[in-house]
């Protein structure tokens, strides 16, 4: 059963508004998928999904990519239930694949300060991949502390704490089909 974005906002008194609608997200993911398919013709990249936040994005993005590709998962923790970044990144689950000489696309939910991504890029570079690019659904460029290259960027968003489409607040709201903002 599918719910309308507006109905879901009305059902939950803690959600303030829809920032990016489910329709706009799907449209943008199709564009990103087309771009990636074009750039990786005759290659077989590994999409590295950063858990937990990117699992919804990965699932939709993968289905919009027409070239053969693999998926693998890495679980990290950089937030501890609240809304502020600690800058401390812990690897909870590592990749299964050997990425040496492979084309890697890191799939992230959101790039905020860039600390997490910077750490991940440095870590994965030590494994000598052929190439590494980043695909992030959301980008809070105004909050950047570490300059990180984001080749495929879904939406640039303002400095607000967002939830939905895989992104949580205290492990809740990952299931929302849109990107929303909670009430202050
Ligand atoms: P960074 O290291 O770039 O500051 O933060 C990256 C991680 O912080 C993301 O992968 C995500 O887990 C979390 N994060 C940053 N901003 C937000 C936000 O607005 N909402 C949620 N739910 N998580 C965020």
């Amino acid at each position: 059963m599918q719910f309308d974005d507006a109905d879901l906002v009305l059902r939950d008194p803690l959600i303030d508004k829809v920032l990016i609608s489910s329709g706009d997200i799907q449209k943008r993911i199709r564009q990103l998928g087309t771009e990636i398919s074009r750039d990786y013709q005759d290659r077989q990249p590994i999409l590295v999904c950063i858990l937990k936040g990117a699992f919804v994005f990965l699932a939709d993005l993968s289905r919009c990519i027409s070239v053969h590709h693999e998926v693998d998962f890495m679980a990290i923790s950089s937030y501890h239930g609240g809304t502020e970044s600690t800058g401390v990144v812990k690897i909870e689950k590592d990749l299964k694949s050997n990425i040496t000489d492979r084309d890697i696309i890191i799939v992230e939910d959101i790039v905020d300060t860039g600390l997490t991504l910077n750490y991940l890029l440095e870590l994965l570079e030590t494994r000598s991949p052929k190439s590494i690019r980043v695909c992030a659904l959301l980008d809070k460029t105004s909050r950047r502390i570490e300059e990180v290259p984001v080749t495929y960027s879904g939406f640039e968003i303002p400095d607000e704490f967002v939830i939905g489409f895989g992104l949580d607040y205290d492990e809740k709201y990952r299931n929302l089909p849109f990107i929303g903002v909670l009430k202050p």
Side-chain angles (χ1 to χ4, degrees):
M1 185 174 178
Q2 288 276 341
F3 293 101
D4 193 50
D5 293 357
D7 284 347
L8 288 164
V9 174
L10 286 175
R11 277 159 184 256
D12 191 320
L14 298 183
I15 302 176
D16 189 22
K17 61 175 181 193
V18 173
L19 189 67
I20 308 169
S21 72
S22 45
D24 286 347
I25 295 173
Q26 293 306 325
K27 197 169 143 203
R28 186 73 186 111
I29 292 178
R30 280 197 295 275
Q31 291 169 343
L32 291 172
T34 303
E35 239 179 282
I36 291 172
S37 307
R38 194 193 53 214
D39 293 352
Y40 287 84
Q41 269 175 32
D42 306 320
R43 291 197 270 170
Q44 186 165 315
I46 305 177
L47 303 193
V48 170
C49 173
I50 309 302
L51 297 171
K52 299 177 189 170
F55 81 102
V56 180
F57 180 37
L58 185 271
D60 284 354
L61 181 67
S62 171
R63 285 176 289 177
C64 292
I65 296 177
S66 57
V67 297
H68 286 305
H69 60 277
E70 298 165 36
V71 296
D72 203 343
F73 300 87
M74 235 178 150
I76 57 164
S77 57
S78 55
Y79 268 74
H80 301 281
T83 61
E84 281 305 306
S85 177
T86 58
V88 178
V89 179
K90 187 166 162 242
I91 305 289
E92 311 272 8
K93 179 209 169 297
D94 208 338
L95 295 174
K96 275 207 163 172
S97 327
N98 177 359
I99 63 165
T100 303
D101 282 331
R102 298 297 305 270
D103 294 304
I104 303 304
I105 304 175
I106 297 179
V107 178
E108 259 285 26
D109 51 359
I110 185 166
V111 185
D112 183 11
T113 62
L115 291 170
T116 309
L117 197 51
N118 188 55
Y119 176 90
L120 276 173
L121 284 167
E122 281 181 1
L123 175 77
L124 296 183
E125 287 287 2
T126 65
R127 302 179 188 179
S128 307
K130 191 167 166 198
S131 69
I132 303 191
R133 283 183 177 168
V134 176
C135 177
L137 180 64
L138 306 173
D139 196 340
K140 280 189 201 168
T141 45
S142 63
R143 295 248 312 156
R144 207 65 106 247
I145 292 173
E146 282 287 350
E147 273 319 311
V148 280
V150 181
T151 305
Y152 307 102
S153 173
F155 300 90
E156 195 170 310
I157 61 164
D159 182 11
E160 285 191 276
F161 188 81
V162 293
I163 43 128
F165 213 79
L167 288 128
D168 74 311
Y169 175 66
D170 219 4
E171 293 302 325
K172 296 186 286 285
Y173 298 112
R174 294 192 196 275
N175 56 317
L176 293 177
F178 58 85
I179 297 292
V181 179
L182 293 177
K183 288 191 178 136

